[in-house]
Amino acid sequence: MFRPIHIRLPLPAAFAPPSTKVTNVVSLTSVNNLQASLATAQRRVEQGQNQVQRDSEQLAQSRQQLVKEQEQLRDTERSSQQARADATPAIKQPQLDRAIEIPVPPKPAQTPAGQLNSIGQTIGRLIDVTA
C-alpha cells in the first residue's frame, strides 16, 4: 500500500489563517495615490494662503480709503459750518399788512415861487457836482 506524503507549501496572505502574521505590502498605486493627495492638499493650502494675503491687502486698502473719506467728511462738515456761520443773516421780510397802516406823510405846504426856484437851483448844482 501507498502511504500519503505530506508537503507543506506557504499559503498566500489571503488564505493565511488569522493566527499567522502577515506583513502589509505597499503597492505602487497606493504610493502614487498618496503623493497625488499630498500634492492636492499642498496646492489647496497655497491657494488658501494666497487668498488670505489678497484679502489682507484689500482690507488694508479699504481701511486707508475709509480714513481718507472720514477726513473728507470732517473737512466738508467744517466748511459747511463755517459757511453757515459766515452767511449774512436773512433779510427780514417786509410786513405788508402793517405797511398799509403806516400813514402817508401830508403834502408840503405851498411855497412861494422864489423859494421853490432856489431849491431847484440847489438840487441842480448837486446834480452837476455829482455827475
Side-chain angles (χ1 to χ4, degrees):
M1 256 206 223
F2 292 105
R3 264 176 91 198
I5 302 175
H6 294 288
I7 301 175
R8 294 189 179 239
L9 295 173
L11 292 173
F15 299 108
S19 62
T20 309
K21 186 175 183 181
V22 179
T23 58
N24 290 332
V25 179
V26 177
S27 69
L28 183 58
T29 304
S30 64
V31 170
N32 286 341
N33 288 341
L34 287 173
Q35 287 176 337
S37 296
L38 180 61
T40 301
Q42 286 176 334
R43 277 193 304 274
R44 287 183 180 166
V45 167
E46 289 173 3
Q47 288 172 347
Q49 289 172 338
N50 291 339
Q51 184 66 41
V52 167
Q53 181 65 30
R54 284 191 301 270
D55 290 348
S56 176
E57 290 170 359
Q58 186 177 6
L59 178 62
Q61 289 174 352
S62 296
R63 285 182 176 160
Q64 289 174 348
Q65 184 66 29
L66 177 62
V67 168
K68 287 179 185 177
E69 289 176 0
Q70 285 174 336
E71 288 174 2
Q72 288 176 346
L73 178 61
R74 274 183 285 207
D75 291 346
T76 303
E77 286 174 344
R78 274 190 235 123
S79 297
S80 177
Q81 289 173 352
Q82 185 64 39
R84 274 188 244 122
D86 292 345
T88 57
I91 298 173
K92 187 177 179 183
Q93 298 221 352
Q95 297 176 349
L96 297 178
D97 57 339
R98 296 196 71 213
I100 295 172
E101 294 174 5
I102 300 173
V104 178
K107 289 185 179 180
Q110 292 290 340
T111 56
Q115 191 178 9
L116 189 58
N117 192 18
S118 67
I119 294 172
Q121 288 175 355
T122 306
I123 292 173
R125 281 189 217 118
L126 271 173
I127 292 172
D128 217 12
V129 170
T130 55

